[in-house]
């Protein structure tokens, strides 16, 4: 002011006694410190953001992995099972038949394949409608599934055709199972 030097740092000295180089150095140090703190804050924020983002990506990947596994299982189930009854379809029946034949040869045991065809099923569909026919197929599927052991297979080939694979049964037991199936189906 009026040709004299100005300074933002007022000490209890005259302005003329303040060393300008010291003020410039202090200003530069303060600027460097503020810049360093700002860069450090940015680096910390970036690090935390990156960690959060990585965790988010990992969570998304994990969730998508589970969804892919679930959809794969679902698609495999759809490909191998009848959509009306939930029983194995022709494709899965043929695979299990092949496995049963191999098992029987390896263990020198018996295995049997039963083929069931429902009489007058077309009349049920024509008289009462396809919804009633579908309900009948579902009930028959459940009954057949309850009549056999867990290691045996009931499958629906299509329409009103069912097959049953019986493993490791002697002739007497096969006859008993067949008679149970026939009596249950008559009911």
């Amino acid at each position: 002011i009026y040709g004299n030097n100005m300074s933002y740092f007022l000490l209890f000295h005259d302005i003329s006694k303040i060393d300008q180089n010291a003020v410039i150095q202090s200003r530069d140090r303060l600027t460097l410190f503020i810049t360093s703190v700002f860069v450090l804050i940015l680096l910390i924020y970036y690090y935390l953001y990156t960690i959060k983002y990585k965790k988010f990506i990992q969570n998304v990947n994990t969730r998508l992995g589970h969804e892919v596994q679930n959809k794969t299982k679902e698609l495999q189930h759809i490909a191998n099972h009848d959509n009306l009854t939930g029983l194995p379809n022709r494709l899965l029946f043929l695979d299990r038949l092949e496995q049963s034949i191999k098992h029987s040869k390896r263990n020198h045991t018996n295995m049997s394949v039963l083929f069931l065809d429902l009489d007058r099923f077309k009349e049920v569909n024509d008289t009462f409608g396809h919804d009633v026919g579908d309900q009948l197929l579902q009930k028959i599927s459940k009954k057949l599934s309850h009549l056999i052991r867990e290691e045996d297979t009931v499958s629906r080939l299509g329409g009103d055709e069912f097959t049953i694979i019986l493993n490791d049964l002697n002739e007497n037991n096969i006859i008993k199972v067949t008679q149970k199936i026939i009596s249950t189906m008559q009911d």
Side-chain angles (χ1 to χ4, degrees), residues 71-130:
K71 289 296 178 185
T72 301
K73 287 178 186 176
E74 186 179 326
L75 288 174
Q76 286 174 341
H77 182 79
I78 289 170
N80 292 315
H81 291 81
D82 178 56
N83 63 349
L84 178 64
T85 62
L87 292 176
N89 62 14
R90 183 180 303 268
L91 183 67
L92 187 54
F93 164 74
L94 292 173
D95 181 60
R96 289 192 180 169
L97 179 62
E98 184 179 326
Q99 297 303 319
S100 292
I101 291 170
K102 288 178 184 177
H103 174 78
S104 294
K105 284 181 181 178
R106 184 174 51 248
N107 296 326
H108 305 291
T109 58
N110 293 329
M111 54 104 33
S112 300
V113 178
L114 306 178
F115 181 82
L116 291 90
D117 185 60
L118 303 178
D119 293 336
R120 299 187 306 267
F121 181 72
K122 184 178 181 325
E123 292 175 23
V124 171
N125 273 340
D126 292 344
T127 306
F128 300 105
H130 289 282

Side-chain angles (χ1 to χ4, degrees), residues 123-140:
E123 292 175 23
V124 171
N125 273 340
D126 292 344
T127 306
F128 300 105
H130 289 282
D131 289 339
V132 172
D134 289 349
Q135 290 174 7
L136 178 63
L137 290 172
Q138 290 169 338
K139 285 184 181 180
I140 288 171

Side-chain angles (χ1 to χ4, degrees), residues 147-161:
L147 290 173
I148 64 165
R149 301 170 304 171
E150 216 175 277
E151 59 266 20
D152 299 327
T153 301
V154 177
S155 61
R156 179 174 175 225
L157 297 183
D160 61 347
E161 298 174 343

